[in-house]
Amino acid sequence: MRPNPVAALALVLLPLACIAQTKPGDAMPPRTWVDKDTGHRVWRLSDEPNSGAFYFNINAYTPDEKQMVYSAPDGIHVLDLATRQTRLLVENPPQPKAAPDSAAPQARVPGAIHILVTGHKTNSVFYTTTDANHITAVYKADTNTGAVRKLAVVPHPPNTSGWSVVSVNADETLIAGTYVEGDDTGRQYGSNLPARPAGAAPGAAGNPDNRVGSAVQGPHYQPPNKSQMMVARLAAKLPLVLFTLRLEPGPNGAKPGDVKPLLHSTDWVNHLLFSPTDPTLLMYCHEGIWQDVDRLWMIHTDGTHNTLVHKRTMYMEIWGHEFWGPDGETIWYQWDYPRNADSNFVAGYNVKTGQRFAYHTGRDDGSIHVNVTKDLSLFTGDGTFPGQGPTARDSAWIELFHPQLIKGDSLAVNSPDFWQPGIFHTEHLVSMSHHNYHEEPNVRFTPDNKMVIFTGNMFGPSYVFGVEVEKAVNPPPADVMSTTELATKYNPVNPPQR
């Protein structure tokens, strides 16, 4: 399902006119319509230009399943899933106005919010801010009351650099991160190549944090020199430490701010993701171009059981874009066996039983990311550039995948350590042919499985959208519109094909 990694990463330099056509004060896109090509109703859920949903594998829902958190340039917002009403929860400091053709990356404002995750135990969202003295602190905001609590300061001992925290565990007592032993100046991803050329798309070198949008673009734009920065970062072999930072008082006198190293490595450790149910289990990856690394790992918070989840058995086999299923029992990821051979799967590994699943995906079902419902009854994909991949023809859709396991006769040989095969039956939900896929849509299901959430920029700026899983029944004729034609009225510039 994953698009060609080299083509997807070797992104062209785009003029800003291709990114956003509308601006504050222009007419807002419609609140809802029924996609003429699919029969599914689409809702615009956010009102803030360049707002966006979380990255696909980061929890956005409160544990009572009533709220979803999303980001916008002005800060952290909360969406009431029942009423679809939104409100600003934590305000971002005003951002400076950068010249549209400036070659220099936009500086990060002291106190700017870096959103991490919505809590699994309490109705809250975790975020960090860094002050003018470069001191980073972790905060927790109550999504019901708005009350904010400072939890811990991220340390910065001498002869270390690059301290970053990203994932909060299931009981909200620990946060995981990495740092470098020694000086990482000019060698970390995002700062290891010259600044972007004049006229290039923003989000390039010097601005690795793309979780929050700006006046120029929405979140999750991928920089045009991403592949170069990834290759350079992996080759740097920085001495890195994977650690946890305590957020709440713990056993044996443990206090907020205490650091516990879990792993020392010169691999590029990235994409830290705690289990949504087991507070002691952390998934992480060896980052890099996928064929260059053994990517997917997990480790316990006492530093034991550092385990490779998927072992390579074929030259040019690749896997990645891993995520936890909402049940906390299965790690899912995209798997090409091998790359560029139309032999693509969505694979799953059950961490309790060791059982493995592999759902084959069709050549037109390519998606940057996929996601799954808690009961494993449905999967979704966010599509990719039209024609992305060696054989794909029509991939620019938000997709619904109906999984079906393949069953043999009673004599078919099977074993608990065999891959359990399956296929997807694909249903289009929304046409994304006018979406600029340099910004990733990042799909996820709502907790009731009735809607797929995604970020879309087909109207120019990005907004958070939702599309209903069930087709609309007898919708008013005036509601039925081509998404592509509708978006073109607001944003007449066609998106890049790659």
Side-chain angles (χ1 to χ4, degrees):
M1 293 212 39
R2 184 177 185 268
N4 182 314
V6 175
L9 295 176
L11 304 178
V12 296
L13 301 181
L14 298 173
L16 293 180
C18 293
I19 294 176
Q21 286 299 302
T22 55
K23 58 186 182 298
D26 285 354
M28 291 287 287
R31 178 63 67 185
T32 186
W33 71 96
V34 174
D35 189 302
K36 181 179 178 180
D37 296 313
T38 70
H40 291 266
R41 181 170 289 280
V42 185
W43 293 87
R44 176 174 54 79
L45 300 175
S46 66
D47 295 328
E48 303 79 23
N50 293 327
S51 52
F54 283 7
Y55 192 58
F56 83 107
N57 59 11
I58 296 175
N59 180 52
Y61 301 115
T62 52
D64 63 6
E65 300 184 346
K66 294 181 179 180
Q67 300 169 330
M68 186 188 83
V69 179
Y70 69 93
S71 72
D74 62 347
I76 302 174
H77 290 254
V78 176
L79 167 73
D80 185 298
L81 291 169
T83 66
R84 301 197 182 99
Q85 297 297 306
T86 68
R87 55 188 169 84
L88 180 63
L89 180 70
V90 182
E91 188 173 4
N92 216 10
Q95 304 297 302
K97 294 182 179 180
D101 59 349
S102 172
Q106 186 171 338
R108 190 163 173 80
V109 176
I113 293 167
H114 181 98
I115 304 173
L116 301 176
V117 65
T118 304
H120 287 290
K121 181 180 178 181
T122 62
N123 280 23
S124 56
V125 60
F126 294 81
Y127 65 96
T128 62
T129 66
T130 302
D131 65 19
N133 295 318
H134 308 291
I135 303 299
T136 298
V138 183
Y139 294 85
K140 177 180 182 179
D142 188 304
T143 59
N144 294 324
T145 67
V148 173
R149 184 160 66 97
K150 183 178 180 179
L151 301 177
V153 172
V154 179
H156 193 167
N159 301 316
T160 64
S161 58
W163 284 76
S164 173
V165 290
V166 294
S167 184
V168 176
N169 70 344
D171 65 8
E172 302 177 3
T173 60
L174 299 173
I175 189 168
T178 60
Y179 68 87
V180 170
E181 296 175 308
D183 185 7
D184 66 353
T185 302
R187 296 192 291 170
Q188 285 281 19
Y189 175 84
S191 63
N192 54 2
L193 285 179
R196 60 187 174 90
N207 185 23
D209 178 15
N210 64 352
R211 292 194 181 195
V212 179
S214 67
V216 177
Q217 66 180 37
H220 306 304
Y221 264 93
Q222 298 304 306
N225 46 9
K226 178 178 178 178
S227 61
Q228 297 168 278
M229 290 191 290
M230 291 182 75
V231 169
R233 171 61 184 87
L234 182 63
K237 293 190 175 297
L238 300 178
L240 177 147
V241 178
L242 171 65
F243 69 92
T244 59
L245 177 74
R246 180 154 286 279
L247 298 179
E248 302 286 354
N252 303 316
K255 59 185 182 300
D258 286 352
V259 173
K260 179 178 178 55
L262 304 183
L263 179 73
H264 293 257
S265 177
T266 56
D267 293 303
W268 179 12
V269 173
N270 199 14
H271 285 282
L272 316 182
L273 285 172
F274 270 111
S275 160
T277 55
D278 183 348
T280 70
L281 186 57
L282 177 68
M283 177 173 64
Y284 70 93
C285 82
H286 286 182
E287 185 66 281
I289 306 300
W290 289 5
Q291 65 265 21
D292 299 343
V293 294
D294 286 326
R295 181 176 172 100
L296 185 50
W297 298 74
M298 58 184 182
I299 192 171
H300 283 84
T301 53
D302 61 1
T304 64
H305 300 92
N306 187 37
T307 305
L308 178 65
V309 173
H310 183 108
K311 182 177 176 59
R312 177 176 280 106
T313 60
M314 180 185 288
Y315 175 64
M316 292 303 291
E317 175 185 358
I318 63 172
W319 63 97
H321 282 171
E322 58 281 344
F323 62 100
W324 284 100
D327 62 0
E329 295 186 4
T330 305
I331 293 172
W332 297 94
Y333 53 99
Q334 297 186 52
W335 176 33
D336 292 7
Y337 193 75
R339 181 186 139 195
N340 290 349
D342 198 21
S343 183
N344 309 324
F345 301 86
V346 172
Y349 171 69
N350 188 299
V351 298
K352 292 185 176 180
T353 67
Q355 192 173 31
R356 295 182 183 270
F357 302 90
Y359 290 98
H360 186 264
T361 58
R363 66 178 185 172
D364 292 336
D365 299 334
S367 284
I368 300 173
H369 304 114
V370 296
N371 226 315
V372 66
T373 57
K374 188 173 184 178
D375 62 4
L376 310 183
S377 62
L378 292 170
F379 289 74
T380 184
D382 54 12
T384 187
F385 291 94
Q388 181 77 43
T391 57
R393 297 169 299 181
D394 189 17
S395 302
W397 300 88
I398 301 297
E399 305 276 33
L400 187 67
F401 301 126
H402 301 265
Q404 178 187 354
L405 287 172
I406 296 173
K407 299 294 184 180
D409 59 38
S410 60
L411 299 179
V413 178
N414 199 1
S415 173
D417 60 349
F418 282 7
W419 286 93
Q420 301 303 302
I423 58 174
F424 281 159
H425 300 283
T426 302
E427 180 182 354
H428 294 330
L429 294 179
V430 186
S431 172
M432 298 289 280
S433 63
H434 207 63
H435 174 82
N436 177 356
Y437 268 97
H438 288 97
E439 180 177 22
E440 300 169 341
N442 288 296
V443 284
R444 74 188 67 238
F445 287 96
T446 51
D448 61 7
N449 302 345
K450 292 182 178 180
M451 188 177 286
V452 171
I453 304 296
F454 64 98
T455 300
N457 59 28
M458 64 279 278
F459 294 96
S462 65
Y463 295 93
V464 181
F465 294 93
V467 55
E468 294 178 359
V469 169
E470 296 295 329
K471 287 195 173 185
V473 178
N474 298 322
D479 285 4
V480 181
M481 311 178 199
S482 162
T483 298
T484 301
E485 293 176 3
L486 179 64
T488 303
K489 294 179 181 178
Y490 291 79
N491 179 22
V493 177
N494 289 327
Q497 295 301 298
R498 181 71 47 93

